[in-house]
Amino acid sequence: MADVLTNPRSDRVRSVRSLAQRPGGPPPGRVVGRTQGVREAVRCAADRVVDVYLTAQAMERYAADIAAPARAAGLWVHQVTDEVLAVMADSEQPQGVVAVVEASAPSLADVLAGSPGLLVLLTHVRDPGNAGTVIRAADAVGAAAVLVSEASVDVTSPKVVRSTAGSLFHLPIVTGLPVESTLDELRAHGIRTLAADGAGTTLLPDADLSTPHCWVMGNEAWGLPEQVRAHCDDIVRVPIVGKAESLNLAMAATVCLYASAGALTFGT
């Protein structure tokens, strides 16, 4: 093993920390500061993992599921002090593990070439927790990809990465997409576009989910603009039977995705 990293002011430590603190924009890498995210990065995206950092306690605790698999994959595994890890981490309560992972940049053409059966498009979604939860739900139901509009949150931000709980490394995430031209491209490939919106006249149980389709989800505060709804093939409303005024974005997306999973056989 290489020497333990002990200097929290070293260039390496500052470089890792700068990734966690960066403003928006395409990064050269991303910091994964939660155990499950690091584990999934090593397991499912080892070719993109640049470095793995663990404290002595974490090195022992996660020997079998992080340290050993990382070394077996030929990755750089560094032991660091608790103080160094605290500086590197993007969380106030680090779990003793940090990894730097190169950003992936799949294209919409890459996704469509696989004849996807189920997609979700996030339009103007700004809350990192919502975005991460939708990615996690899409992964859980076996969706082919998550599409993210150009005005949405940076999916490589630390809060999004944490909230995906590793799902970020399981399926393609296409970012920076213009909404209306993306809807046109989906339609050209035989994929129906379903706007999920409280103004919909089609109830979710009555929606046609039997053919390839993409759920279109709007902003947390104002939903989908009229021009986007008009651009979709159908506007679908999740029925609310009780007294709740509405469902939040992540919950509504999860309900819709699981409805699709129950109605459609699709490949990933």
Side-chain angles (χ1 to χ4, degrees), residues 106-131:
S107 68
L108 180 59
D110 294 333
V111 170
L112 294 175
S115 301
L118 177 61
L119 300 167
V120 58
L121 170 61
L122 301 181
T123 70
H124 299 83
V125 172
R126 306 291 176 78
D127 182 83
N130 276 331

Side-chain angles (χ1 to χ4, degrees), residues 90-117:
D90 57 82
S91 169
E92 293 181 359
Q93 296 180 320
Q95 298 175 328
V97 184
V98 164
V100 176
V101 186
E102 292 179 348
S104 176
S107 68
L108 180 59
D110 294 333
V111 170
L112 294 175
S115 301

Side-chain angles (χ1 to χ4, degrees), residues 70-81:
R71 291 194 184 97
L75 305 179
W76 289 102
V77 179
H78 310 270
Q79 183 173 322
V80 300
T81 63

Side-chain angles (χ1 to χ4, degrees), residues 114 141-144 172 266-268:
V141 303
F266 50 85
T268 58

Side-chain angles (χ1 to χ4, degrees), residues 6 12 62 100 105 112 168 185-186 213 220-221:
T6 61
R12 176 187 289 272
Y62 305 118
V100 176
L112 294 175
L168 194 70
E185 188 72 12
L186 293 171
H213 57 274
E220 295 87 346

Side-chain angles (χ1 to χ4, degrees), residues 90-253:
D90 57 82
S91 169
E92 293 181 359
Q93 296 180 320
Q95 298 175 328
V97 184
V98 164
V100 176
V101 186
E102 292 179 348
S104 176
S107 68
L108 180 59
D110 294 333
V111 170
L112 294 175
S115 301
L118 177 61
L119 300 167
V120 58
L121 170 61
L122 301 181
T123 70
H124 299 83
V125 172
R126 306 291 176 78
D127 182 83
N130 276 331
T133 300
V134 174
I135 291 171
R136 190 173 180 180
D139 178 25
V141 303
V146 175
L147 313 179
V148 184
S149 79
E150 57 192 352
S152 292
V153 66
D154 173 14
V155 299
T156 69
S157 71
K159 289 183 179 179
V160 176
V161 173
R162 286 200 301 271
S163 63
T164 70
S167 289
L168 194 70
F169 307 109
H170 296 168
L171 75 170
I173 314 294
V174 184
T175 62
L177 295 171
V179 176
E180 292 188 15
S181 63
T182 298
L183 296 174
D184 290 338
E185 188 72 12
L186 293 171
R187 187 176 296 110
H189 281 77
I191 299 170
R192 297 178 66 245
T193 53
L194 306 178
D197 193 273
T201 55
T202 301
L203 291 178
L204 180 59
D206 301 324
D208 179 7
L209 306 177
S210 62
T211 59
H213 57 274
C214 175
W215 285 106
V216 183
M217 314 301 298
N219 176 270
E220 295 87 346
W222 60 80
L224 287 167
E226 171 59 32
Q227 66 268 26
V228 173
R229 295 199 302 268
H231 223 77
C232 292
D233 295 308
D234 199 359
I235 305 173
V236 181
R237 173 165 55 94
V238 176
I240 296 179
V241 179
K243 297 180 180 179
E245 180 184 359
S246 62
L247 299 177
N248 71 13
L249 167 66
M251 185 179 295

Side-chain angles (χ1 to χ4, degrees), residues 59-87:
M59 190 79 74
E60 181 177 349
R61 182 175 182 180
Y62 305 118
D65 52 352
I66 294 179
R71 291 194 184 97
L75 305 179
W76 289 102
V77 179
H78 310 270
Q79 183 173 322
V80 300
T81 63
D82 291 345
E83 184 181 10
V84 165
L85 196 285
V87 173

